[in-house]
Structure formats: structure tokens, C-alpha cells
mmCIF file of all heavy atoms in Angstrom:
data_model
loop_
_atom_site.group_PDB
_atom_site.id
_atom_site.type_symbol
_atom_site.label_atom_id
_atom_site.label_comp_id
_atom_site.label_asym_id
_atom_site.label_seq_id
_atom_site.Cartn_x
_atom_site.Cartn_y
_atom_site.Cartn_z
ATOM 1 N N PHE A 21 95.921 115.445 107.993
ATOM 2 C CA PHE A 21 96.973 114.560 107.498
ATOM 3 C C PHE A 21 96.351 113.175 107.322
ATOM 4 O O PHE A 21 96.226 112.407 108.275
ATOM 5 C CB PHE A 21 98.141 114.509 108.489
ATOM 6 C CG PHE A 21 98.879 115.814 108.613
ATOM 7 C CD1 PHE A 21 98.720 116.621 109.720
ATOM 8 C CD2 PHE A 21 99.739 116.228 107.609
ATOM 9 C CE1 PHE A 21 99.402 117.818 109.835
ATOM 10 C CE2 PHE A 21 100.437 117.426 107.711
ATOM 11 C CZ PHE A 21 100.269 118.227 108.835
ATOM 12 N N ARG A 22 95.940 112.867 106.117
ATOM 13 C CA ARG A 22 95.101 111.700 105.885
ATOM 14 C C ARG A 22 95.826 110.380 106.145
ATOM 15 O O ARG A 22 95.187 109.378 106.469
ATOM 16 C CB ARG A 22 94.561 111.734 104.450
ATOM 17 C CG ARG A 22 93.569 112.868 104.227
ATOM 18 C CD ARG A 22 93.128 112.974 102.784
ATOM 19 N NE ARG A 22 92.596 111.727 102.265
ATOM 20 C CZ ARG A 22 91.358 111.279 102.495
ATOM 21 N NH1 ARG A 22 90.539 111.993 103.260
ATOM 22 N NH2 ARG A 22 90.947 110.144 101.971
ATOM 23 N N SER A 23 97.130 110.352 106.010
ATOM 24 C CA SER A 23 97.870 109.106 106.224
ATOM 25 C C SER A 23 98.230 108.889 107.687
ATOM 26 O O SER A 23 98.749 107.832 108.053
ATOM 27 C CB SER A 23 99.145 109.096 105.381
ATOM 28 O OG SER A 23 100.012 110.145 105.764
ATOM 29 N N MET A 24 97.929 109.870 108.539
ATOM 30 C CA MET A 24 98.233 109.764 109.966
ATOM 31 C C MET A 24 97.007 109.312 110.734
ATOM 32 O O MET A 24 95.871 109.414 110.268
ATOM 33 C CB MET A 24 98.736 111.116 110.500
ATOM 34 C CG MET A 24 100.123 111.480 110.003
ATOM 35 S SD MET A 24 100.595 113.209 110.334
ATOM 36 C CE MET A 24 100.196 113.385 112.072
ATOM 37 N N SER A 25 97.232 108.828 111.945
ATOM 38 C CA SER A 25 96.130 108.373 112.789
ATOM 39 C C SER A 25 95.354 109.563 113.340
ATOM 40 O O SER A 25 95.829 110.707 113.325
ATOM 41 C CB SER A 25 96.660 107.535 113.958
ATOM 42 O OG SER A 25 97.354 108.362 114.880
ATOM 43 N N VAL A 26 94.173 109.260 113.850
ATOM 44 C CA VAL A 26 93.365 110.284 114.518
ATOM 45 C C VAL A 26 94.149 110.901 115.669
ATOM 46 O O VAL A 26 94.218 112.134 115.813
ATOM 47 C CB VAL A 26 92.050 109.672 115.029
ATOM 48 C CG1 VAL A 26 91.315 110.636 115.954
ATOM 49 C CG2 VAL A 26 91.157 109.270 113.854
ATOM 50 N N LEU A 27 94.754 110.060 116.504
ATOM 51 C CA LEU A 27 95.511 110.550 117.655
ATOM 52 C C LEU A 27 96.624 111.492 117.222
ATOM 53 O O LEU A 27 96.799 112.577 117.804
ATOM 54 C CB LEU A 27 96.085 109.373 118.446
ATOM 55 C CG LEU A 27 96.989 109.730 119.646
ATOM 56 C CD1 LEU A 27 96.234 110.571 120.667
ATOM 57 C CD2 LEU A 27 97.543 108.460 120.286
ATOM 58 N N ASP A 28 97.377 111.120 116.189
ATOM 59 C CA ASP A 28 98.489 111.961 115.749
ATOM 60 C C ASP A 28 97.996 113.282 115.161
ATOM 61 O O ASP A 28 98.628 114.326 115.335
ATOM 62 C CB ASP A 28 99.350 111.212 114.733
ATOM 63 C CG ASP A 28 100.207 110.130 115.377
ATOM 64 O OD1 ASP A 28 100.413 110.197 116.610
ATOM 65 O OD2 ASP A 28 100.656 109.217 114.659
ATOM 66 N N ASN A 29 96.874 113.253 114.444
ATOM 67 C CA ASN A 29 96.315 114.502 113.926
ATOM 68 C C ASN A 29 95.949 115.460 115.052
ATOM 69 O O ASN A 29 96.224 116.659 114.971
ATOM 70 C CB ASN A 29 95.078 114.219 113.075
ATOM 71 C CG ASN A 29 95.395 114.069 111.603
ATOM 72 O OD1 ASN A 29 95.499 115.054 110.874
ATOM 73 N ND2 ASN A 29 95.574 112.824 111.168
ATOM 74 N N VAL A 30 95.339 114.931 116.102
ATOM 75 C CA VAL A 30 94.934 115.789 117.217
ATOM 76 C C VAL A 30 96.163 116.297 117.976
ATOM 77 O O VAL A 30 96.212 117.457 118.397
ATOM 78 C CB VAL A 30 93.968 115.042 118.161
ATOM 79 C CG1 VAL A 30 93.556 115.935 119.333
ATOM 80 C CG2 VAL A 30 92.726 114.579 117.398
ATOM 81 N N ARG A 31 97.172 115.451 118.116
ATOM 82 C CA ARG A 31 98.406 115.883 118.775
ATOM 83 C C ARG A 31 99.069 117.029 118.024
ATOM 84 O O ARG A 31 99.630 117.947 118.629
ATOM 85 C CB ARG A 31 99.377 114.716 118.903
ATOM 86 C CG ARG A 31 98.981 113.690 119.952
ATOM 87 C CD ARG A 31 99.920 112.509 119.952
ATOM 88 N NE ARG A 31 101.290 112.907 120.254
ATOM 89 C CZ ARG A 31 102.337 112.089 120.154
ATOM 90 N NH1 ARG A 31 102.155 110.853 119.718
ATOM 91 N NH2 ARG A 31 103.534 112.496 120.470
ATOM 92 N N VAL A 32 99.002 116.996 116.685
ATOM 93 C CA VAL A 32 99.562 118.084 115.880
ATOM 94 C C VAL A 32 98.926 119.418 116.269
ATOM 95 O O VAL A 32 99.607 120.442 116.385
ATOM 96 C CB VAL A 32 99.365 117.798 114.378
ATOM 97 C CG1 VAL A 32 99.597 119.060 113.546
ATOM 98 C CG2 VAL A 32 100.306 116.702 113.912
ATOM 99 N N GLY A 33 97.612 119.408 116.490
ATOM 100 C CA GLY A 33 96.929 120.635 116.879
ATOM 101 C C GLY A 33 97.440 121.204 118.185
ATOM 102 O O GLY A 33 97.459 122.420 118.378
ATOM 103 N N GLY A 34 97.876 120.340 119.097
ATOM 104 C CA GLY A 34 98.365 120.796 120.386
ATOM 105 C C GLY A 34 99.757 121.381 120.369
ATOM 106 O O GLY A 34 100.177 122.047 121.316
ATOM 107 N N HIS A 35 100.496 121.164 119.286
ATOM 108 C CA HIS A 35 101.878 121.635 119.232
ATOM 109 C C HIS A 35 101.979 123.148 119.209
ATOM 110 O O HIS A 35 103.042 123.703 119.518
ATOM 111 C CB HIS A 35 102.603 121.037 118.025
ATOM 112 C CG HIS A 35 103.184 119.689 118.286
ATOM 113 N ND1 HIS A 35 104.341 119.501 118.992
ATOM 114 C CD2 HIS A 35 102.736 118.444 117.973
ATOM 115 C CE1 HIS A 35 104.612 118.211 119.083
ATOM 116 N NE2 HIS A 35 103.645 117.541 118.473
ATOM 117 N N SER A 36 100.901 123.842 118.867
ATOM 118 C CA SER A 36 100.957 125.308 118.892
ATOM 119 C C SER A 36 101.121 125.842 120.304
ATOM 120 O O SER A 36 101.542 126.979 120.504
ATOM 121 C CB SER A 36 99.685 125.893 118.267
ATOM 122 O OG SER A 36 98.552 125.561 119.047
ATOM 123 N N GLN A 37 100.767 125.014 121.291
ATOM 124 C CA GLN A 37 100.880 125.437 122.679
ATOM 125 C C GLN A 37 102.151 124.895 123.340
ATOM 126 O O GLN A 37 102.330 125.028 124.550
ATOM 127 C CB GLN A 37 99.652 124.950 123.471
ATOM 128 C CG GLN A 37 98.333 125.457 122.917
ATOM 129 C CD GLN A 37 98.260 126.969 122.924
ATOM 130 O OE1 GLN A 37 98.488 127.612 123.941
ATOM 131 N NE2 GLN A 37 97.955 127.553 121.771
ATOM 132 N N SER A 38 103.003 124.259 122.568
ATOM 133 C CA SER A 38 104.216 123.668 123.135
ATOM 134 C C SER A 38 105.418 124.565 122.875
ATOM 135 O O SER A 38 105.369 125.491 122.076
ATOM 136 C CB SER A 38 104.461 122.280 122.534
ATOM 137 O OG SER A 38 104.738 122.390 121.150
ATOM 138 N N ARG A 39 106.507 124.281 123.576
ATOM 139 C CA ARG A 39 107.744 125.001 123.328
ATOM 140 C C ARG A 39 108.827 123.965 123.055
ATOM 141 O O ARG A 39 108.785 122.842 123.551
ATOM 142 C CB ARG A 39 108.130 125.873 124.533
ATOM 143 C CG ARG A 39 108.341 125.091 125.827
ATOM 144 C CD ARG A 39 108.554 126.012 127.015
ATOM 145 N NE ARG A 39 108.766 125.249 128.235
ATOM 146 C CZ ARG A 39 109.950 124.846 128.660
ATOM 147 N NH1 ARG A 39 111.036 125.136 127.951
ATOM 148 N NH2 ARG A 39 110.072 124.160 129.785
ATOM 149 N N GLY A 40 109.778 124.331 122.279
ATOM 150 C CA GLY A 40 110.827 123.384 121.962
ATOM 151 C C GLY A 40 111.783 123.961 120.941
ATOM 152 O O GLY A 40 111.560 125.027 120.379
ATOM 153 N N ASP A 41 112.869 123.258 120.711
ATOM 154 C CA ASP A 41 113.837 123.647 119.699
ATOM 155 C C ASP A 41 114.463 122.366 119.161
ATOM 156 O O ASP A 41 114.290 121.285 119.720
ATOM 157 C CB ASP A 41 114.903 124.583 120.276
ATOM 158 C CG ASP A 41 115.605 123.987 121.478
ATOM 159 O OD1 ASP A 41 116.413 123.051 121.288
ATOM 160 O OD2 ASP A 41 115.327 124.429 122.619
ATOM 161 N N PHE A 42 115.186 122.496 118.068
ATOM 162 C CA PHE A 42 115.713 121.319 117.390
ATOM 163 C C PHE A 42 116.609 120.493 118.305
ATOM 164 O O PHE A 42 116.486 119.264 118.374
ATOM 165 C CB PHE A 42 116.492 121.748 116.138
ATOM 166 C CG PHE A 42 117.148 120.598 115.429
ATOM 167 C CD1 PHE A 42 116.406 119.755 114.612
ATOM 168 C CD2 PHE A 42 118.498 120.341 115.606
ATOM 169 C CE1 PHE A 42 117.002 118.685 113.972
ATOM 170 C CE2 PHE A 42 119.110 119.271 114.962
ATOM 171 C CZ PHE A 42 118.355 118.443 114.142
ATOM 172 N N LEU A 43 117.525 121.157 119.035
ATOM 173 C CA LEU A 43 118.475 120.434 119.865
ATOM 174 C C LEU A 43 117.778 119.698 121.008
ATOM 175 O O LEU A 43 118.055 118.513 121.261
ATOM 176 C CB LEU A 43 119.532 121.396 120.423
ATOM 177 C CG LEU A 43 120.642 120.761 121.267
ATOM 178 C CD1 LEU A 43 121.408 119.722 120.447
ATOM 179 C CD2 LEU A 43 121.589 121.831 121.803
ATOM 180 N N SER A 44 116.853 120.390 121.689
ATOM 181 C CA SER A 44 116.139 119.758 122.810
ATOM 182 C C SER A 44 115.336 118.557 122.336
ATOM 183 O O SER A 44 115.305 117.509 122.988
ATOM 184 C CB SER A 44 115.206 120.775 123.482
ATOM 185 O OG SER A 44 115.929 121.853 124.023
ATOM 186 N N ASP A 45 114.667 118.723 121.171
ATOM 187 C CA ASP A 45 113.881 117.616 120.640
ATOM 188 C C ASP A 45 114.783 116.449 120.230
ATOM 189 O O ASP A 45 114.456 115.283 120.459
ATOM 190 C CB ASP A 45 113.058 118.090 119.431
ATOM 191 C CG ASP A 45 111.939 119.045 119.837
ATOM 192 O OD1 ASP A 45 111.621 119.109 121.033
ATOM 193 O OD2 ASP A 45 111.402 119.725 118.947
ATOM 194 N N ALA A 46 115.928 116.776 119.620
ATOM 195 C CA ALA A 46 116.841 115.723 119.175
ATOM 196 C C ALA A 46 117.414 114.939 120.355
ATOM 197 O O ALA A 46 117.577 113.711 120.283
ATOM 198 C CB ALA A 46 117.971 116.331 118.346
ATOM 199 N N LEU A 47 117.700 115.636 121.443
ATOM 200 C CA LEU A 47 118.259 114.983 122.637
ATOM 201 C C LEU A 47 117.183 114.333 123.496
ATOM 202 O O LEU A 47 117.491 113.586 124.425
ATOM 203 C CB LEU A 47 119.048 116.001 123.472
ATOM 204 C CG LEU A 47 120.308 116.570 122.814
ATOM 205 C CD1 LEU A 47 120.922 117.657 123.695
ATOM 206 C CD2 LEU A 47 121.321 115.459 122.547
ATOM 207 N N HIS A 48 115.918 114.667 123.176
ATOM 208 C CA HIS A 48 114.783 114.098 123.914
ATOM 209 C C HIS A 48 114.959 114.334 125.416
ATOM 210 O O HIS A 48 114.909 113.398 126.235
ATOM 211 C CB HIS A 48 114.650 112.604 123.612
ATOM 212 C CG HIS A 48 113.231 112.125 123.648
ATOM 213 N ND1 HIS A 48 112.212 112.765 122.980
ATOM 214 C CD2 HIS A 48 112.654 111.068 124.281
ATOM 215 C CE1 HIS A 48 111.079 112.130 123.193
ATOM 216 N NE2 HIS A 48 111.316 111.098 123.979
ATOM 217 N N LEU A 49 115.193 115.579 125.768
ATOM 218 C CA LEU A 49 115.431 115.964 127.157
ATOM 219 C C LEU A 49 114.204 115.668 128.015
ATOM 220 O O LEU A 49 113.086 115.563 127.505
ATOM 221 C CB LEU A 49 115.776 117.454 127.229
ATOM 222 C CG LEU A 49 117.073 117.858 126.515
ATOM 223 C CD1 LEU A 49 117.282 119.362 126.600
ATOM 224 C CD2 LEU A 49 118.266 117.114 127.090
ATOM 225 N N PRO A 50 114.409 115.525 129.346
ATOM 226 C CA PRO A 50 113.278 115.166 130.223
ATOM 227 C C PRO A 50 112.077 116.090 130.081
ATOM 228 O O PRO A 50 110.935 115.627 130.060
ATOM 229 C CB PRO A 50 113.901 115.252 131.625
ATOM 230 C CG PRO A 50 115.344 114.943 131.407
ATOM 231 C CD PRO A 50 115.688 115.554 130.077
ATOM 232 N N TRP A 51 112.316 117.422 129.984
ATOM 233 C CA TRP A 51 111.173 118.326 129.877
ATOM 234 C C TRP A 51 110.437 118.133 128.545
ATOM 235 O O TRP A 51 109.225 118.346 128.460
ATOM 236 C CB TRP A 51 111.598 119.773 130.078
ATOM 237 C CG TRP A 51 112.439 120.368 128.991
ATOM 238 C CD1 TRP A 51 113.792 120.445 128.940
ATOM 239 C CD2 TRP A 51 111.966 121.002 127.793
ATOM 240 N NE1 TRP A 51 114.204 121.063 127.791
ATOM 241 C CE2 TRP A 51 113.111 121.430 127.077
ATOM 242 C CE3 TRP A 51 110.705 121.247 127.260
ATOM 243 C CZ2 TRP A 51 113.021 122.091 125.856
ATOM 244 C CZ3 TRP A 51 110.612 121.895 126.039
ATOM 245 C CH2 TRP A 51 111.761 122.310 125.350
ATOM 246 N N VAL A 52 111.178 117.722 127.511
ATOM 247 C CA VAL A 52 110.533 117.436 126.221
ATOM 248 C C VAL A 52 109.649 116.208 126.343
ATOM 249 O O VAL A 52 108.524 116.181 125.822
ATOM 250 C CB VAL A 52 111.599 117.234 125.119
ATOM 251 C CG1 VAL A 52 110.940 116.761 123.821
ATOM 252 C CG2 VAL A 52 112.378 118.526 124.874
ATOM 253 N N ARG A 53 110.136 115.184 127.048
ATOM 254 C CA ARG A 53 109.324 113.972 127.236
ATOM 255 C C ARG A 53 108.068 114.283 128.043
ATOM 256 O O ARG A 53 106.979 113.781 127.730
ATOM 257 C CB ARG A 53 110.162 112.890 127.924
ATOM 258 C CG ARG A 53 111.316 112.370 127.069
ATOM 259 C CD ARG A 53 111.848 111.041 127.604
ATOM 260 N NE ARG A 53 112.412 111.178 128.942
ATOM 261 C CZ ARG A 53 113.676 111.492 129.197
ATOM 262 N NH1 ARG A 53 114.529 111.726 128.191
ATOM 263 N NH2 ARG A 53 114.119 111.583 130.437
ATOM 264 N N ARG A 54 108.210 115.122 129.068
ATOM 265 C CA ARG A 54 107.039 115.503 129.873
ATOM 266 C C ARG A 54 106.022 116.254 129.016
ATOM 267 O O ARG A 54 104.814 116.047 129.128
ATOM 268 C CB ARG A 54 107.468 116.358 131.065
ATOM 269 C CG ARG A 54 108.199 115.592 132.161
ATOM 270 C CD ARG A 54 108.285 116.402 133.434
ATOM 271 N NE ARG A 54 109.045 117.641 133.252
ATOM 272 C CZ ARG A 54 110.368 117.735 133.413
ATOM 273 N NH1 ARG A 54 111.080 116.654 133.748
ATOM 274 N NH2 ARG A 54 110.980 118.885 133.246
ATOM 275 N N GLN A 55 106.532 117.136 128.166
ATOM 276 C CA GLN A 55 105.649 117.904 127.290
ATOM 277 C C GLN A 55 104.913 116.995 126.313
ATOM 278 O O GLN A 55 103.713 117.162 126.077
ATOM 279 C CB GLN A 55 106.475 118.939 126.525
ATOM 280 C CG GLN A 55 105.673 119.813 125.595
ATOM 281 C CD GLN A 55 106.526 120.916 125.008
ATOM 282 O OE1 GLN A 55 106.573 122.013 125.523
ATOM 283 N NE2 GLN A 55 107.215 120.617 123.913
ATOM 284 N N GLU A 56 105.625 116.012 125.750
ATOM 285 C CA GLU A 56 104.993 115.080 124.819
ATOM 286 C C GLU A 56 103.914 114.252 125.507
ATOM 287 O O GLU A 56 102.853 113.990 124.934
ATOM 288 C CB GLU A 56 106.048 114.168 124.190
ATOM 289 C CG GLU A 56 106.946 114.864 123.170
ATOM 290 C CD GLU A 56 106.164 115.405 121.989
ATOM 291 O OE1 GLU A 56 105.238 114.720 121.531
ATOM 292 O OE2 GLU A 56 106.467 116.522 121.537
ATOM 293 N N ARG A 57 104.182 113.851 126.759
ATOM 294 C CA ARG A 57 103.160 113.100 127.512
ATOM 295 C C ARG A 57 101.935 113.962 127.763
ATOM 296 O O ARG A 57 100.791 113.492 127.675
ATOM 297 C CB ARG A 57 103.751 112.601 128.839
ATOM 298 C CG ARG A 57 104.704 111.418 128.688
ATOM 299 C CD ARG A 57 104.945 110.732 130.013
ATOM 300 N NE ARG A 57 105.587 111.614 130.982
ATOM 301 C CZ ARG A 57 106.911 111.730 131.136
ATOM 302 N NH1 ARG A 57 107.741 111.017 130.372
ATOM 303 N NH2 ARG A 57 107.415 112.543 132.031
ATOM 304 N N SER A 58 102.172 115.239 128.066
ATOM 305 C CA SER A 58 101.058 116.153 128.303
ATOM 306 C C SER A 58 100.230 116.359 127.033
ATOM 307 O O SER A 58 98.998 116.382 127.073
ATOM 308 C CB SER A 58 101.597 117.496 128.801
ATOM 309 O OG SER A 58 100.540 118.420 128.981
ATOM 310 N N LEU A 59 100.915 116.496 125.887
ATOM 311 C CA LEU A 59 100.207 116.656 124.613
ATOM 312 C C LEU A 59 99.357 115.432 124.291
ATOM 313 O O LEU A 59 98.215 115.555 123.833
ATOM 314 C CB LEU A 59 101.215 116.892 123.481
ATOM 315 C CG LEU A 59 101.844 118.285 123.375
ATOM 316 C CD1 LEU A 59 102.947 118.286 122.328
ATOM 317 C CD2 LEU A 59 100.790 119.327 123.037
ATOM 318 N N GLU A 60 99.912 114.243 124.539
ATOM 319 C CA GLU A 60 99.155 113.025 124.260
ATOM 320 C C GLU A 60 97.959 112.903 125.187
ATOM 321 O O GLU A 60 96.864 112.519 124.757
ATOM 322 C CB GLU A 60 100.047 111.789 124.386
ATOM 323 C CG GLU A 60 99.271 110.507 124.145
ATOM 324 C CD GLU A 60 100.138 109.359 123.684
ATOM 325 O OE1 GLU A 60 101.320 109.582 123.343
ATOM 326 O OE2 GLU A 60 99.624 108.222 123.662
ATOM 327 N N GLN A 61 98.144 113.244 126.464
ATOM 328 C CA GLN A 61 97.032 113.175 127.412
ATOM 329 C C GLN A 61 95.918 114.135 127.001
ATOM 330 O O GLN A 61 94.727 113.788 127.035
ATOM 331 C CB GLN A 61 97.520 113.517 128.821
ATOM 332 C CG GLN A 61 96.437 113.445 129.882
ATOM 333 C CD GLN A 61 96.973 113.765 131.271
ATOM 334 O OE1 GLN A 61 98.180 113.903 131.477
ATOM 335 N NE2 GLN A 61 96.082 113.902 132.243
ATOM 336 N N SER A 62 96.303 115.350 126.596
ATOM 337 C CA SER A 62 95.313 116.329 126.158
ATOM 338 C C SER A 62 94.598 115.852 124.892
ATOM 339 O O SER A 62 93.379 115.993 124.770
ATOM 340 C CB SER A 62 96.007 117.670 125.899
ATOM 341 O OG SER A 62 95.087 118.623 125.403
ATOM 342 N N ALA A 63 95.357 115.250 123.961
ATOM 343 C CA ALA A 63 94.755 114.741 122.727
ATOM 344 C C ALA A 63 93.766 113.619 123.023
ATOM 345 O O ALA A 63 92.675 113.569 122.443
ATOM 346 C CB ALA A 63 95.846 114.256 121.774
ATOM 347 N N ARG A 64 94.133 112.727 123.912
ATOM 348 C CA ARG A 64 93.228 111.617 124.255
ATOM 349 C C ARG A 64 91.975 112.128 124.953
ATOM 350 O O ARG A 64 90.882 111.582 124.758
ATOM 351 C CB ARG A 64 93.965 110.594 125.122
ATOM 352 C CG ARG A 64 95.014 109.790 124.345
ATOM 353 C CD ARG A 64 95.591 108.657 125.170
ATOM 354 N NE ARG A 64 96.596 107.911 124.430
ATOM 355 C CZ ARG A 64 96.328 106.971 123.523
ATOM 356 N NH1 ARG A 64 95.062 106.664 123.249
ATOM 357 N NH2 ARG A 64 97.301 106.338 122.893
ATOM 358 N N GLU A 65 92.109 113.171 125.757
ATOM 359 C CA GLU A 65 90.927 113.744 126.421
ATOM 360 C C GLU A 65 89.961 114.309 125.382
ATOM 361 O O GLU A 65 88.744 114.116 125.475
ATOM 362 C CB GLU A 65 91.370 114.839 127.395
ATOM 363 C CG GLU A 65 90.236 115.442 128.231
ATOM 364 C CD GLU A 65 89.557 116.634 127.560
ATOM 365 O OE1 GLU A 65 90.251 117.380 126.836
ATOM 366 O OE2 GLU A 65 88.329 116.798 127.739
ATOM 367 N N LEU A 66 90.498 114.998 124.360
ATOM 368 C CA LEU A 66 89.642 115.545 123.310
ATOM 369 C C LEU A 66 89.021 114.444 122.462
ATOM 370 O O LEU A 66 87.860 114.545 122.043
ATOM 371 C CB LEU A 66 90.456 116.492 122.427
ATOM 372 C CG LEU A 66 90.680 117.888 123.002
ATOM 373 C CD1 LEU A 66 91.741 118.631 122.210
ATOM 374 C CD2 LEU A 66 89.372 118.675 123.011
#
């Protein structure tokens, strides 16, 4: 995704290992926030 940052491109790759649904993401439930933090941490490590 050329218009996106390096970090966001790498985070996209991690979404295959995540779980979620439209409603949970829209409500930004606590487990969704934890998952997003984990994805960002993994992306930064890579």
C-alpha cells in the first residue's frame, strides 16, 4: 500500500492472525484494543 506508512503496511500483514467482527471493531471493545496493541508491538518488532 504505497500511500500508507511502513508501520501500517506491516500491521496489515499481522491482521491474518487476528480475530474480530464489524460490531466489535466498531465498538472498539477492550479485547479489540488489546489485539491492536499486540499487532502494533509485533509490527514494531519486525
